Amino acid sequence: GAGVSQSPRYKVAKRGQDVALRCDPISGHVSLFWYQQALGQGPEFLTYFQNEAQLDKSGLPSDRFFAERPEGSVSTLKIQRTQQEDSAVYLCASSLIREGGELFFGEGSRLTVL
Amino acid sequence: AQSVTQLDSQVPVFEEAPVELRCNYSSSVSVYLFWYVQYPNQGLQLLLKYLSGSTLVKGINGFEAEFNKSQTSFHLRKPSVHISDTAEYFCAVNPLARQGAQKLVFGQGTRLTINP
């Protein structure tokens, strides 16, 4: 497809379970971002990749959150030992590497932790 | 650090009426400015952006925004709204950064509801 694809679209996890969220960026997009959007809030930055290099992970809320992009394309956001406060929509975005370049967002993965 | 304040959490408007969604930002460095729209159960879509040049920026779907540096504002306007404009609108800033990293800081969002 032509857009950013995320899976699963919906995930329900029991507290303490590990989850993995996948992002397929637009082909050729060097930059990839993860954002967390809590209910009724704006998206908040989690982490940023340029190709396979994770250049900024300052937004990851705890060491339970881990992201990777081993081949510079598909990325996975992993959350270990999920907590209720992790419930949110996780948005992935990709862009060409240039200043002012548009971010293209996926539809998000909605995580509900019971 | 940068912050974005969207002054209205909800804006109800009648169809064909004009609308303004307000956005103020705070930053110690120059920024790029963006408005994104989010339809229900969808990702964010870029409406328009200000990088430099003319302070009046035109975007998709008839929206426009004006950058006011002295007031640190970037309000979004549309002269006549349609039912299909019902959505959540997010203002965002990106501090001018090296290597083009688009680390956007978003506002809380404004829910625009168009009534017939």
Side-chain angles (χ1 to χ4, degrees), chain A residues 9-10 33 35 37 40-43 45 48 50 55-56 58 91 97-103 105-107, chain B residues 32 34 36 38 41-44 46 49 51 90 94 96-109:
Chain A
R9 288 291 315 278
Y10 303 92
F33 301 79
Y35 284 82
Q37 186 177 18
Q41 303 294 315
F45 172 82
Y48 158 63
Q50 183 176 316
L55 298 186
D56 188 340
S58 61
L91 296 169
I97 183 169
R98 64 171 187 266
E99 288 195 17
E102 178 181 352
L103 260 64
F105 282 84
E107 294 182 325
Chain B
Y32 296 142
F34 303 80
Y36 279 83
Q38 186 176 35
N41 298 316
Q42 294 188 26
L44 280 76
L46 181 67
K49 62 183 178 183
L51 304 182
F90 292 95
N94 176 39
L96 295 189
R98 293 170 298 173
Q99 300 181 1
Q102 298 296 314
K103 185 177 175 178
L104 297 177
V105 176
F106 285 88
Q108 300 280 69

Side-chain angles (χ1 to χ4, degrees), chain B residues 32-76:
Chain B
Y32 296 142
L33 295 154
F34 303 80
W35 275 97
Y36 279 83
V37 59
Q38 186 176 35
Y39 298 103
N41 298 316
Q42 294 188 26
L44 280 76
Q45 178 183 0
L46 181 67
L47 269 180
L48 48 79
K49 62 183 178 183
Y50 172 79
L51 304 182
S52 65
S54 173
T55 57
L56 182 63
V57 180
K58 294 189 182 298
I60 63 171
N61 300 341
F63 283 93
E64 63 181 32
E66 186 156 19
F67 169 54
N68 187 317
K69 187 174 183 179
S70 63
Q71 296 186 4
T72 61
S73 68
F74 191 54
H75 300 333
L76 181 71

